[in-house]
DNA sequence: CTGAAAGCGCTTACAG
DNA sequence: CTGAAAGCGCTTACAG
């Protein structure tokens, strides 16, 4: 039978409140010698505080919920998710919180909302929620503080994003400076705000440079490598193909690399590729991937800090982070420009 | 103010036990019309069950703890961790459990043990514990059921592994069949059982084929790409270099790829590379990586199933999974054999 | 500084 | 089937 504070109190013939004060070093002081004896007998009895009981009594769980709207898929494959999660874990650790990872996702929104508001967490970080999903609003109504990373909180929560328009703009400027005029796009999951903004930015920036926006050169509409591979294979095997591709994620770029490799299309000689995220994948791909860096870890960390602030002060500010282009080896002048 | 079962009971003028029975559909039956009215007013009042209170009363939390001994590092970079986690999440979801991810790791074992035994989880899955760590034993003493994936549980828990000896053997047999005699190894983190077994198997299998085991051809001793890159750069720039490398993980192989790329060493023409894990990285690398597959998802899933069984029946069996070689494009006959 | 007691929001024998 | 009550293991005003 595990020891409880009652057992310690009994052994020492003192009250359980004193034991609690001694163990927690507050909120009320305890005579030094009493404190010492409490701690000692706690150790002797192998006492382990029950966090559930403590949470119920105190109303704080010291755990933060993390939900992705596509958890099952992302948990293993998304370098975006990984980057955010690392920032979250690092910061949560500093603040002494643990992470509750919901296994259910937005496939079943009602269920997800129930789980998120069942009292197990002090607050929630939602990663890349879908546009127009009712989940955020209902969680907020359930009085659970939320911070969002990578997506629109639709006014329900502070959100932490990077500037997608800027990110795509610098990618395209880079390609245009190199002399590219035939530029394609691998778009991301349309239900996610980041993907839509990047797509819009892609189209508007091509237009800005007077370049054609060809619908058949906008492929993908997913955030994974597999899909990009299949569609890039088709795109690149046509004679009339682009000389550069801007991808909505590094994972997408990985799919393009594979397609190019199989078709004997050389990167960057025959095809320049720009990724998005600057995730670890960008360094695994060879030639190393030129990528629009968004500071995922920072975004995850900032969301965590904001959430904890929200718990304490009832308010916190969201933030949009700057993006920058990390130029590596996957982009070069296009053939026709280079040859003369 | 959020509604509680007391409020529902009051509104309906019935007892809270009846409300509880109605809401949970058990363990005692309730008149159908009462049940319906309870559920209806619960909805009207916006009632949300408090899982913390329920856990305290029932003794079950419906959450499973997942700990890696190197959480902060792995959460973002280890494809091994990801693979396991995916299996765990998938299976936990089916069984209706959520996952508590500990942010602290074995850097501070006392802290970790305290967190693991604080009552927030019904059981624990520990991923790749270090050899000889006191954590598992102390958690078991704390009466928290544990399952281990990828590592030695030292008798404390059912563990789920793959057969490292077999895995390395088939890798080396494959290379020997291709004609390689100059084979190097990128070893993994020595404090992990898998890494040590693979290293031993590497040495014994080379010996079995009468091939030299050169200490200067055993590099790495980490499970990450960065370190492998640096060391492979050195190894491969010597004139007297191996024609094949067996890596302790796909992440290690990624480092070797990069080194080879930068040195202009062509894979598989100048160098055959075999990875280990068959993680998503194996498909991202180009040429696609020949890799020893260990069924990480299955291992994670099996550990989860076993853990839940352990909760119910007090006992469960560990299992060692078979490995198989997934032959892709990163291995070929060595130059000297091919040319004649 | 210490103690007696209420309370956190549920579940679950135990009577009826 | 329903109710009154104890209990899960803590925290925390409130008196003293």
């Amino acid at each position: 039978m595990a020891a409880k504070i009652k057992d310690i109190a009994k052994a020492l013939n003192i009250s359980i409140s004193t034991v609690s004060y001694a163990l927690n070093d507050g909120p009320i002081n305890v005579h030094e010698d009493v404190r010492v004896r409490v701690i000692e007998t706690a150790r002797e009895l192998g006492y382990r505080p029950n966090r559930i009981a403590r949470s119920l009594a105190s109303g704080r769980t010291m755990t933060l919920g993390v939900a992705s709207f596509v958890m099952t898929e992302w948990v293993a494959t998304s370098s975006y998710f990984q980057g955010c999660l690392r920032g979250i874990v690092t910061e949560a650790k500093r603040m002494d919180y643990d992470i509750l990872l919901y296994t259910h996702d937005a496939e079943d929104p009602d269920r997800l909302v129930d789980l998120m508001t069942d009292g197990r967490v002090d607050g929630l970080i939602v990663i890349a929620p879908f546009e127009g999903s009712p989940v955020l609003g209902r969680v907020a109504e359930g009085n659970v503080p939320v911070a969002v990373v990578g997506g629109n909180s639709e006014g329900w929560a502070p959100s932490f994003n990077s500037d997608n328009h800027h990110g795509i703009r610098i990618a395209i400027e880079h390609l245009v400076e190199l002399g590219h005029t035939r530029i394609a796009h691998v778009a991301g999951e349309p239900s996610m705000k980041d993907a839509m903004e990047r797509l819009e930015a892609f189209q508007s920036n091509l237009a800005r440079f007077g370049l054609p926006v060809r619908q058949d050169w906008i492929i993908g509409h997913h955030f994974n490598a597999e899909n990009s591979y299949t569609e890039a294979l088709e795109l690149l095997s046509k004679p009339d193909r682009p000389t550069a591709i801007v991808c909505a994620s590094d994972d997408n770029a990985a799919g393009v690399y594979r397609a190019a490799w199989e078709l004997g299309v050389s990167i960057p000689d025959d095809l320049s590729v720009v990724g998005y995220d600057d995730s670890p994948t960008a360094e695994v791909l060879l030639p190393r991937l030129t990528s629009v860096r968004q500071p995922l870890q920072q975004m995850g960390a900032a969301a965590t800090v904001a959430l904890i602030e929200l718990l304490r002060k009832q308010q916190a500010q969201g933030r949009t982070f700057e993006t920058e282009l990390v130029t590596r080896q996957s982009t070069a002048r296009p053939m026709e420009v280079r040859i003369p």
Side-chain angles (χ1 to χ4, degrees), chain A residues 163-177 201 205 208-209 246 274 276 290-294 322-327:
Chain A
D163 187 337
N164 290 306
H165 279 281
H166 180 257
I168 292 294
R169 184 158 62 82
I170 56 183
I172 290 181
E173 280 175 1
H174 172 63
L175 292 172
V176 167
E177 272 165 28
N205 275 287
R208 199 162 62 87
F209 285 108
V246 176
V274 181
Y276 206 108
T290 294
S291 185
V292 177
R293 153 163 239 165
Q294 54 173 341
E322 273 317 303
T323 54
E324 68 183 297
L325 191 70
V326 180
T327 310

Side-chain angles (χ1 to χ4, degrees), chain A residues 118-162:
Chain A
D118 69 6
R120 279 182 299 179
V121 301
D122 292 337
L124 276 172
I125 296 172
V126 177
I127 297 179
F130 301 145
E131 292 279 313
S133 161
V135 171
L136 288 180
R138 291 181 43 208
V139 168
E141 280 164 12
N143 286 317
V144 181
V146 182
V148 166
V149 24
N152 196 335
S153 70
E154 298 168 49
W156 290 111
S159 73
F160 295 81
N161 289 285
S162 67

Side-chain angles (χ1 to χ4, degrees), chain A residues 2 44 58 60 69 97 116 118 195 253 256 264 267 294-295 299 336:
Chain A
E44 280 166 13
S58 70
R60 303 177 359 120
F69 272 32
Y97 282 84
M116 286 170 149
D118 69 6
V256 172
I267 299 171
Q294 54 173 341
M299 288 159 65
E336 53 275 42

